[in-house]
Amino acid sequence: MSSVRDKANRRISSLKSLLCVGLDSDPDKIPELFSAYANPVLEFNRAIIRATSDVAVAYKINTAFYEARGIAGLQDMENTLGSIPDAIMTIADAKRADIGNTSRKYARAFFEHWPFDAVTVAPYMGFDSLEPFFSYEEKLVFVLCLTSNEGSADFEEKLMQDGTPLYRSVLGKVASWSRNANAGVVVGATKSSQLGEIRREAPGLFFLIPGVGAQGGSLEEAVDLGVDADRQSALINVSRALIYPEVSGSGLFLSIDDYELAVAEEAKKIYDGMRRVL
Amino acid sequence: MSSVRDKANRRISSLKSLLCVGLDSDPDKIPELFSAYANPVLEFNRAIIRATSDVAVAYKINTAFYEARGIAGLQDMENTLGSIPDAIMTIADAKRADIGNTSRKYARAFFEHWPFDAVTVAPYMGFDSLEPFFSYEEKLVFVLCLTSNEGSADFEEKLMQDGTPLYRSVLGKVASWSRNANAGVVVGATKSSQLGEIRREAPGLFFLIPGVGAQGGSLEEAVDLGVDADRQSALINVSRALIYPEVSGSGLFLSIDDYELAVAEEAKKIYDGMRRVL
């Protein structure tokens, strides 16, 4: 049984929140305010965490944004991970997978060396590429299923010989490979017509739902269609629309406190939307 | 036009070699000999490079083996990359891909911050997840097509509605997306019956062929079926079978020089096998 899943579900129920905050922190987009610090990205992340930790169920760290700056970026990733309160789930959005002996190394990277609670993985190479992740029974493993981007039409939505799309085949396999209730799937909020159908098909999986906000998916639909029968086991990720709030008035945030207030306000709006539907 | 492709093909033709050395360097498998150094993995990699650079066309760094040790591991990766002679192609075996704005960051990580010549990517999320890599016209991008592991049966070999397997659909798309001759595919040597068919289908793509050696694929078949009409545009990767040679006699290598000799001998055997067929 996955203790991470329990931790997340306890927090979902007590807060009535599905909020996953995506720390896609981009040095090119971080306000000038943070540049006075030796590690602007880390200070930015800590501000976002302070501003959202009362309503967040999870933080999702997108590894690409840290790898793009090499070792300095990964040092920020490591320190950010250490700044997240224990009660809140941490997700390495890494989309890794390779042959078994290599996936074992990736699992060690994101479950042991960097002790994330959960990781995202890509299904193309099949069972033995995912099994090393699933073998961490207490963790959560989110397999890409139906993503929010245009390219999902290229393969994910292509029909197989039995007339169902590839993502349904991935969904079925993931459900059958999930012995320890530690499996999940990534389903984009932009695909609301399929989201409900996928949830009915896989009542026992944990759902990670990106695509609300900058990518255009509806929050209320995502909440309502994504949760399981207990109104749990789903996270809705918001990244850009939350961590880079629009400034009102002067066009510049005057202090980090101001910035945190704007982020907290945005988080509160999203949270209220979730609470209404939950 | 991809200058990396030209560089690789020049070396393939002049050496009559397709050898790609896989630096899947695992601290648990590296001989005791190297433990006297502050960075055993880096010293090990430098020994492998010294022992093989006369016959190697490419070095492939499997990012998982470095990420598993966090920042210290990635420092070794960075220093290893800097130790590879300019004439030899470098591949980040990273199997990344995500929505476009994230893939742009991964491309920056492996093409700019760490200046690899080539990268491996996963196709599941479709065109916009791969385009940011393809946009580096001078580089090479290897898309997973038909891999060498058992799990390839789970999705890659599953039949689509038109009766052809998913990997054929990936192959067709990659060929059509490849405007700058900078695209390639990963095809496992364990799938020799399909390798020839895939090559006929995609005469213009560059092939990265793992699975010879520890995974059991035949070297001669892989060479013969993998090359293009000019007997170029293919690399055959060997990792474990080459970098961890069997010791003869006493059961221990007595010096790093001894170890290099054993690796060089193994590389020479593989090289001779390739030359015979090329």
Side-chain angles (χ1 to χ4, degrees):
Chain A
M1 193 58 192
S2 163
S3 54
V4 164
R5 183 179 176 132
D6 290 347
K7 173 169 98 170
N9 275 337
R10 272 197 306 275
R11 197 164 168 89
I12 287 171
S13 289
S14 67
L15 287 183
K16 299 274 173 220
S17 170
L18 305 179
L19 181 60
C20 175
V21 177
L23 296 170
D24 298 11
S25 307
D26 187 338
D28 302 337
K29 289 189 182 167
I30 287 177
E32 192 62 25
L33 275 174
F34 294 92
S35 61
Y37 290 90
N39 298 304
V41 170
L42 179 61
E43 288 307 322
F44 175 80
N45 285 348
R46 285 179 171 159
I48 301 292
I49 293 166
R50 282 192 299 271
T52 56
S53 62
D54 59 333
V55 293
V57 178
Y59 289 100
K60 180 169 79 60
I61 293 184
N62 185 329
T63 57
F65 285 76
Y66 301 85
E67 283 181 49
R69 296 188 295 122
I71 285 162
L74 289 156
Q75 191 69 67
D76 283 345
M77 181 184 89
E78 186 168 309
N79 291 331
T80 299
L81 182 62
S83 302
I84 297 172
D86 282 345
I88 307 185
M89 181 176 165
T90 55
I91 305 171
D93 193 2
K95 305 206 165 70
R96 304 294 199 269
D98 203 313
I99 61 172
N101 83 316
T102 298
S103 274
R104 268 192 291 283
K105 297 291 183 183
Y106 281 129
R108 190 186 291 179
F110 294 106
F111 284 156
E112 297 189 39
H113 185 85
W114 291 305
F116 284 94
D117 291 326
V119 68
T120 60
V121 297
Y124 189 71
M125 295 179 68
F127 179 67
D128 54 315
S129 73
L130 304 184
E131 196 281 327
F133 298 98
F134 287 134
S135 74
Y136 288 75
E137 299 187 8
E138 75 284 9
K139 304 282 187 176
L140 261 177
V141 182
F142 292 103
V143 184
L144 293 178
C145 178
L146 178 60
T147 56
S148 55
N149 61 323
E150 269 188 42
S152 58
D154 290 320
F155 306 116
E156 298 172 15
E157 300 195 75
K158 277 276 152 49
L159 299 183
M160 311 298 291
Q161 206 168 38
D162 66 1
T164 65
L166 173 61
Y167 75 83
R168 286 284 292 271
S169 167
V170 169
L171 183 71
K173 292 277 193 188
V174 172
S176 80
W177 293 338
S178 167
R179 295 171 314 233
N180 307 307
N182 67 345
V185 282
V186 178
V187 184
T190 53
K191 313 285 176 173
S192 60
S193 60
Q194 292 108 317
L195 178 57
E197 164 216 354
I198 293 172
R199 174 45 94 188
R200 281 190 297 278
E201 195 81 14
L205 294 180
F206 210 102
F207 279 37
L208 175 59
I209 307 169
V212 156
Q215 295 177 65
S218 149
L219 178 70
E220 286 74 14
E221 270 186 345
V223 174
D224 203 42
L225 298 170
V227 291
D228 66 7
D230 299 323
R231 312 294 283 170
Q232 295 180 329
S233 302
L235 291 170
I236 293 181
N237 185 73
V238 190
S239 298
R240 285 169 276 179
L242 174 55
I243 68 176
Y244 308 123
E246 300 272 324
V247 69
S248 56
S250 72
L252 272 179
F253 290 103
L254 297 176
S255 70
I256 291 184
D257 282 352
D258 274 2
Y259 196 77
E260 286 184 36
L261 271 175
V263 172
E265 213 168 273
E266 197 58 45
K268 184 71 168 39
K269 261 189 247 165
I270 299 167
Y271 173 49
D272 286 342
M274 290 174 168
R275 254 200 318 189
R276 268 196 304 276
V277 190
L278 278 181
Chain B
M1 192 57 191
S2 163
S3 53
V4 164
R5 185 179 174 132
D6 290 346
K7 174 169 99 170
N9 275 336
R10 274 197 305 275
R11 198 165 168 88
I12 287 171
S13 290
S14 68
L15 287 184
K16 300 274 173 221
S17 170
L18 304 180
L19 181 60
C20 176
V21 177
L23 296 170
D24 298 11
S25 307
D26 186 337
D28 302 336
K29 288 188 181 166
I30 287 177
E32 191 62 23
L33 275 174
F34 294 92
S35 62
Y37 290 90
N39 299 305
V41 169
L42 179 61
E43 288 307 322
F44 175 81
N45 285 348
R46 286 180 170 159
I48 301 292
I49 293 167
R50 282 193 298 272
T52 56
S53 62
D54 59 333
V55 294
V57 177
Y59 289 100
K60 181 169 78 59
I61 293 184
N62 185 329
T63 57
F65 285 76
Y66 301 86
E67 283 181 50
R69 296 188 296 121
I71 285 162
L74 289 156
Q75 191 68 66
D76 283 344
M77 182 184 89
E78 185 168 309
N79 291 331
T80 299
L81 182 63
S83 302
I84 297 172
D86 282 344
I88 308 186
M89 180 176 165
T90 55
I91 305 171
D93 193 2
K95 305 205 166 69
R96 303 295 199 270
D98 204 313
I99 61 172
N101 83 317
T102 298
S103 275
R104 270 193 290 284
K105 296 291 183 183
Y106 281 130
R108 188 186 292 180
F110 294 107
F111 284 155
E112 297 190 40
H113 184 85
W114 291 305
F116 284 93
D117 291 327
V119 68
T120 60
V121 297
Y124 189 71
M125 294 179 68
F127 179 67
D128 55 316
S129 72
L130 304 183
E131 196 280 328
F133 298 98
F134 287 134
S135 74
Y136 288 76
E137 299 187 9
E138 75 285 9
K139 304 283 187 176
L140 261 177
V141 182
F142 293 104
V143 184
L144 293 178
C145 178
L146 178 59
T147 55
S148 55
N149 62 322
E150 270 189 41
S152 58
D154 290 321
F155 306 116
E156 299 173 14
E157 300 195 74
K158 277 275 153 49
L159 299 183
M160 312 298 290
Q161 206 168 37
D162 67 359
T164 65
L166 173 60
Y167 75 83
R168 286 283 292 273
S169 168
V170 170
L171 183 71
K173 291 278 192 187
V174 172
S176 80
W177 294 337
S178 167
R179 296 170 314 234
N180 307 307
N182 67 345
V185 281
V186 177
V187 184
T190 52
K191 314 283 178 174
S192 59
S193 60
Q194 293 107 316
L195 178 56
E197 163 216 353
I198 292 172
R199 174 44 94 187
R200 281 189 298 279
E201 196 81 13
L205 294 180
F206 210 102
F207 279 38
L208 174 60
I209 307 169
V212 155
Q215 294 177 67
S218 149
L219 177 70
E220 285 74 13
E221 270 187 344
V223 175
D224 203 42
L225 298 170
V227 291
D228 67 8
D230 297 324
R231 313 294 283 170
Q232 294 180 331
S233 302
L235 291 170
I236 294 180
N237 184 75
V238 190
S239 299
R240 284 169 277 179
L242 174 56
I243 69 176
Y244 307 123
E246 299 272 324
V247 68
S248 56
S250 73
L252 273 179
F253 290 103
L254 297 176
S255 70
I256 290 182
D257 282 353
D258 273 3
Y259 196 78
E260 286 184 37
L261 272 176
V263 172
E265 213 167 274
E266 197 57 44
K268 184 71 168 38
K269 261 189 249 167
I270 299 167
Y271 174 49
D272 286 343
M274 289 174 169
R275 254 199 319 190
R276 269 197 303 276
V277 189
L278 278 179

